[in-house]
């Protein structure tokens, strides 16, 4: 089963991914945990480049770089793992490109989806957990975080609003695949809901071996 976690900055994706990974490993699942952009040596170099605040990147170039990192990750990691029956958990996937490059940068959902069909050879997650957070809370969490903000995080409030709208539209468009979870829940409650959703679709049982 292929599960992705999505959401705006500060929604708590990394915490949820770590909690899910622990729970699935405890069940003995053959689990592959990865992230985007990144997840392969090439992808991690792309990540450093696209998130570097000193770079100025054309929106289409940005979408193509994200897609290049994704193509490498799908080819080298995700597809081989799925083919051997492993459970793959990925921190962001092509929904992020639709939200950030399609809506945030204004490239449009259609072209970005098309580009990613090519980049992934038509691979979509079986389940996407979308962490939903009101924008004020998301901005507050992002700004109160330790460490420097990356190039995308440094974007305007209007940009982040468009990204959130993008995710909301995606959730409507792919209602079978995308499940919205309330990111204001306590981390344990959020992980329990996410796990229940995975179980409901038979994924964790399928991955246990
Ligand atoms: P992260 O903060 O979740 O690790 O994601 C890194 C940043 O990259 C985040 O600001 C969202 C952005 N991003 C895109 O703009 N497009 C994409 O396709 C992906 C995967 C991430």
């Amino acid at each position: 089963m292929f599960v992705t976690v999505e959401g705006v900055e500060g929604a708590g994706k990394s915490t949820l991914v770590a909690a899910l990974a622990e729970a699935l490993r405890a069940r003995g699942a053959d689990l592959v945990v990865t992230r985007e952009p990144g997840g392969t040596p090439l992808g991690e170099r792309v990540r450093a480049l696209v998130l570097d605040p000193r770079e100025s990147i054309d929106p289409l170039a940005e979408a193509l770089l994200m897609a290049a990192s994704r193509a490498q990750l799908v080819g080298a990691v995700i597809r081989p793992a799925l083919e051997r029956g492993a459970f793959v958990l990925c921190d962001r996937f092509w929904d992020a490109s639709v939200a950030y490059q399609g809506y945030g940068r204004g490239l449009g959902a259609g072209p970005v989806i098309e580009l990613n069909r090519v980049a992934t050879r038509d691979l979509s997650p079986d389940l996407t957990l979308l962490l939903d957070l009101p924008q004020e809370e998301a901005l507050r969490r992002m700004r109160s975080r330790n460490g420097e903000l990356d190039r995308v995080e440094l974007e305007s409030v209007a940009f982040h609003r468009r990204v959130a709208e993008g995710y909301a539209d995606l959730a409507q468009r792919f209602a079978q695949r995308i499940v919205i979870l309330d990111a204001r829940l306590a981390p344990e409650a959020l992980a329990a809901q996410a796990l229940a959703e995975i179980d409901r679709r038979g994924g964790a049982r399928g991955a246990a071996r």
Side-chain angles (χ1 to χ4, degrees), residues 9 13 35-37 47 51 62 66 70 91-93 96-97 100-101 150 152-153:
E9 325 281 341
K13 283 183 300 94
R35 69 166 181 182
E36 285 207 334
R47 180 183 181 93
L51 299 185
E62 185 177 80
M66 297 292 180
R70 186 163 298 129
D91 188 335
R92 300 198 188 277
F93 199 58
S97 283
Y100 284 83
Q101 282 67 53
D150 67 41
V152 178
E153 288 166 338

Side-chain angles (χ1 to χ4, degrees), residues 1-4 30-32 34 77-78 81-82 86-90:
M1 186 183 196
F2 180 26
V3 176
T4 59
D30 174 5
L31 178 68
V32 173
T34 187
V77 176
I78 298 179
L82 293 174
F87 189 109
V88 177
L89 181 59
C90 192

